[in-house]
């Protein structure tokens, strides 16, 4: 018998949906999906985000309903972003125990308990009037160490609100160690840290900035990673692990599948990836124009991220995809 055609026919394993399902190498499961959700102060009805069809800024009431919907669909987690009415130079509302994000954490935990892993964005960009992820120095640059002090405060108030996981997304040097120490010293040893280990200075964050009412002036290239660099992500991974990260993330997902694969190959902790706003918006725009099949594309993009090594995926399609997978 020859190990060549006509004896070897790979198409035999592609002949039916049942066969393809049986031999699939990569599987998506709703429990691996995390829903990013925005809650805004001072609105009385959900506010559509024009660049992200189907995504809204929630009121506290509609956020609670969205959390229940996610839990019922079998989604694994929800990542909360709070949008305050008032911003200032140091992001004071980010550490206000009664700020919108802390209220949202309490609301969601009270609504769904442990049915969802409740996560919160730990960053200042939604709360600062300049839109940067940290405190500014006199020369206008982001002051790394002064920002760490604010992150420590944010971690504690979010933990006191009941969050299960904090997600430091600012890419400040030393942020994981400072946050872990602050949580432990405040008695919150059980709160996990999802480190944004490799967060790139991508051109695809535009819709997200609309979603969070961003006040950004300038760019974030001095602290987010350069898109040209992959090896640097492994250095960031090593540092985050040494500082106490419980999980790590690559962001964006689809344009950085090579980085995701490299991180997943060596990480001893769970690896997540964030399918960001621009990635979502491109698919929705193409589907709206009839250029691609929307549902197939959603699942194909998520499968590619899972195939590259992500064990959890943050995606705005989390609930819809979970239903498609059932």
């Amino acid at each position: 018998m020859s190990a060549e055609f006509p004896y070897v026919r790979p198409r035999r394993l592609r002949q039916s949906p049942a066969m393809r399902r049986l031999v699939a190498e990569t599987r998506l499961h709703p429990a691996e999906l995390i829903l990013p959700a925005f809650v805004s102060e001072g609105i009385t009805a959900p506010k559509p985000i024009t660049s992200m069809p189907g995504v809204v800024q929630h009121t506290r009431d509609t956020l609670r309903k969205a959390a229940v919907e996610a839990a019922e669909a079998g989604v694994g987690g929800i990542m909360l972003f709070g949008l305050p009415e008032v911003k200032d130079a140091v992001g004071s509302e980010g550490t206000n125990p009664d700020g919108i994000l802390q209220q949202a954490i309490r609301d969601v935990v009270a609504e769904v308990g442990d049915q969802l892993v409740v996560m919160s964005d730990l960053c200042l960009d939604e709360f600062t009037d300049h839109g940067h992820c940290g405190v500014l120095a006199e020369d206008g640059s982001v002051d790394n160490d002064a920002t760490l002090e604010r992150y420590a405060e944010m971690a504690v108030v979010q933990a006191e609100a009941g969050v299960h996981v904090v997600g430091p997304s600012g890419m400040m040097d030393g942020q994981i160690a400072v946050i872990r120490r602050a949580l432990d010293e405040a008695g919150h040893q059980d709160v996990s840290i999802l480190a944004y280990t490799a967060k790139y200075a991508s051109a695809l964050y535009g819709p997200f900035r609309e979603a969070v009412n961003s006040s950004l002036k300038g760019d974030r290239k001095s602290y987010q990673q350069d898109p040209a660099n992959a090896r640097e992500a492994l250095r960031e991974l090593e540092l985050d692990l040494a500082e106490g990260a419980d999980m790590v993330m690559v962001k964006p997902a689809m344009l950085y599948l090579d980085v995701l694969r490299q991180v997943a190959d060596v990480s001893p902790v769970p690896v997540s990836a964030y399918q960001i706003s621009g990635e979502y918006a491109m698919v929705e725009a193409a589907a709206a124009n009839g250029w691609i099949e929307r549902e197939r594309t959603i699942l194909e993009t998520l499968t590619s991220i899972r195939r590259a090594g992500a064990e959890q995926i943050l995606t705005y399609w989390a609930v819809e995809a979970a239903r498609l997978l059932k």
Side-chain angles (χ1 to χ4, degrees):
M1 293 283 290
S2 171
E4 300 176 358
F5 179 84
Y7 302 104
V8 175
R9 294 178 181 266
R11 286 186 57 195
R12 293 185 188 117
L13 302 184
R14 304 171 194 159
Q15 292 305 303
S16 69
M19 180 63 79
R20 292 191 292 273
R21 184 171 61 248
L22 179 69
V23 300
E25 299 174 25
T26 303
R27 300 187 193 280
L28 282 172
H29 191 280
E32 299 164 347
L33 305 178
I34 299 167
L35 175 68
F38 309 101
V39 58
S40 183
E41 195 171 35
I43 61 174
T44 57
K47 180 181 178 183
I49 299 164
T50 58
S51 55
M52 299 174 68
V55 181
V56 301
Q57 294 178 357
H58 284 286
T59 67
R60 288 175 60 188
D61 284 340
T62 63
L63 176 65
R64 283 192 286 263
K65 293 174 184 176
V68 170
E69 184 180 57
E72 290 176 345
V75 168
I78 186 168
M79 175 67 79
L80 303 177
F81 297 84
L83 317 180
E85 283 189 285
V86 178
K87 304 180 183 184
D88 60 23
V90 297
S92 298
E93 284 301 297
T95 50
N96 177 358
D98 292 318
I100 184 61
L101 181 53
Q102 283 66 253
Q103 292 184 56
I105 293 168
R106 288 192 288 269
D107 289 342
V108 172
V109 170
E111 196 71 40
V112 299
D114 292 330
Q115 295 178 61
L116 283 179
V117 177
V118 181
M119 306 177 171
S120 54
D121 183 54
L122 200 166
C123 195
L124 288 170
D125 58 321
E126 292 103 73
F127 303 99
T128 55
D129 54 13
H130 47 73
H132 277 285
C133 296
V135 178
L136 300 186
E138 290 186 5
D139 63 1
S141 63
V142 175
D143 186 326
N144 191 95
D145 296 1
T147 298
L148 295 183
E149 295 178 20
R150 298 288 294 129
Y151 285 1
E153 295 176 57
M154 291 185 77
V156 173
V157 297
Q158 291 179 9
E160 289 175 348
V163 80
H164 304 139
V165 180
V166 294
S169 58
M171 289 297 289
M172 296 296 121
D173 294 338
Q175 63 183 13
I176 303 303
V178 167
I179 291 167
R180 183 72 272 161
R181 187 180 309 117
L183 288 169
D184 290 356
E185 290 177 353
H188 297 294
Q189 295 90 344
D190 292 338
V191 173
S192 300
I193 300 175
L194 169 57
Y196 283 57
T197 291
K199 182 178 179 181
Y200 284 87
S202 173
L204 298 182
Y205 294 131
F208 179 88
R209 290 175 185 161
E210 179 193 351
V212 298
N213 302 330
S214 176
S215 306
L216 181 64
K217 301 174 179 67
D219 59 51
R220 300 189 173 114
K221 293 179 181 178
S222 70
Y223 44 102
Q224 293 179 352
Q225 277 191 242
D226 187 332
N229 296 348
R231 188 172 60 238
E232 182 182 27
L234 299 180
R235 186 183 186 202
E236 291 279 6
L237 172 65
E238 182 180 357
L239 292 168
D240 283 351
L241 292 173
E243 291 176 20
D246 299 289
M247 298 178 279
V248 297
M249 184 197 294
V250 174
K251 178 182 180 180
M254 291 160 60
L255 268 63
Y256 295 86
L257 295 177
D258 60 322
V259 175
L260 175 58
R261 179 74 270 166
Q262 291 180 58
V263 170
D265 281 345
V266 298
S267 175
V269 301
V271 177
S272 303
Y274 197 146
Q275 186 180 52
I276 68 168
S277 60
E279 294 170 328
Y280 173 93
M282 289 192 295
V283 171
E284 289 289 350
N289 278 284
W291 298 335
I292 58 175
E293 295 180 50
R294 183 178 175 277
E295 290 184 355
R296 283 187 61 193
T297 302
I298 289 171
L299 294 181
E300 187 174 344
T301 62
L302 293 173
T303 300
S304 75
I305 298 165
R306 183 74 180 85
R307 189 181 65 238
E311 293 157 287
Q312 302 83 35
I313 305 172
L314 287 86
T315 175
Y316 300 99
W317 287 306
V319 173
E320 180 177 1
R323 290 170 176 161
L324 291 172
L325 291 169
K326 288 187 173 180

